[in-house]
Amino acid sequence: MKIRYSESTNELEITSSKDNLLYLSKKLLEDGAQIKATVEENSKAVPYDRFLYGIDIKVLQGKLVDFQVNQNDTLLIKGDCNKLSMLSEVLLSLTEDWNIAEDPTYKHIHIEHYSAHYLSPNSISVVVMYA
């Protein structure tokens, strides 16, 4: 899984395999879960500014889901367990009818507060895709 972030546009992209998406969707409900990301040391994160090193999960009762970047260049996903469960279902939907023979660059989803009622309006916009 690769996570790229652009501070100027306040957007990030998670590029993942099917197995990593399944793993992430399961871990979203575990308070304190940590997931490592792949960082290509000699590679540019273009068109984003930089790579992030992983994901931290924080379950907070009664809160909308919020994607934020920590000072240690990790993605923090926090929110109520029920709301995180909704996000998990969205991620799982990307893994349905998986056919790697199809061009994977077109299977993606945008997760933004104005289209996802479980997401905080302060959250970073996220694109999740598989490759």
Side-chain angles (χ1 to χ4, degrees), residues 76-88:
L76 174 62
I77 304 174
K78 57 186 179 179
D80 183 86
C81 197
N82 290 330
K83 305 293 185 201
L84 288 168
S85 180
M86 291 178 196
L87 174 60
S88 176

Side-chain angles (χ1 to χ4, degrees), residues 3-105:
I3 306 168
R4 300 183 300 171
Y5 173 64
S6 173
E7 197 165 346
S8 60
T9 62
N10 203 31
E11 179 182 88
L12 63 87
E13 177 189 89
I14 300 172
T15 305
S16 180
S17 68
K18 178 182 181 180
D19 288 342
N20 284 337
L21 277 178
L22 291 169
Y23 182 74
L24 173 58
S25 66
K26 200 180 308 180
K27 287 294 192 180
L28 278 175
L29 307 179
E30 293 181 25
D31 187 36
Q34 296 182 317
I35 302 166
K36 290 192 178 209
T38 301
V39 176
E40 297 174 350
E41 296 298 332
N42 296 322
S43 172
K44 302 252 189 242
V46 175
Y48 297 87
D49 300 329
R50 65 184 189 266
F51 288 101
L52 300 182
Y53 293 97
I55 300 172
D56 297 325
I57 308 297
K58 180 82 174 155
V59 177
L60 299 170
Q61 187 174 353
K63 299 291 183 181
L64 292 172
V65 173
D66 197 7
F67 291 87
Q68 298 297 323
V69 175
N70 287 331
Q71 290 180 343
N72 60 353
D73 278 342
T74 59
L75 171 61
L76 174 62
I77 304 174
K78 57 186 179 179
D80 183 86
C81 197
N82 290 330
K83 305 293 185 201
L84 288 168
S85 180
M86 291 178 196
L87 174 60
S88 176
E89 290 297 321
V90 168
L91 296 179
L92 286 173
S93 73
L94 279 174
T95 68
E96 294 172 1
D97 300 319
W98 186 277
N99 183 352
I100 203 64
E102 295 174 13
D103 185 350
T105 60

Side-chain angles (χ1 to χ4, degrees), residues 31 117 129:
D31 187 36
H117 66 282
M129 61 184 292

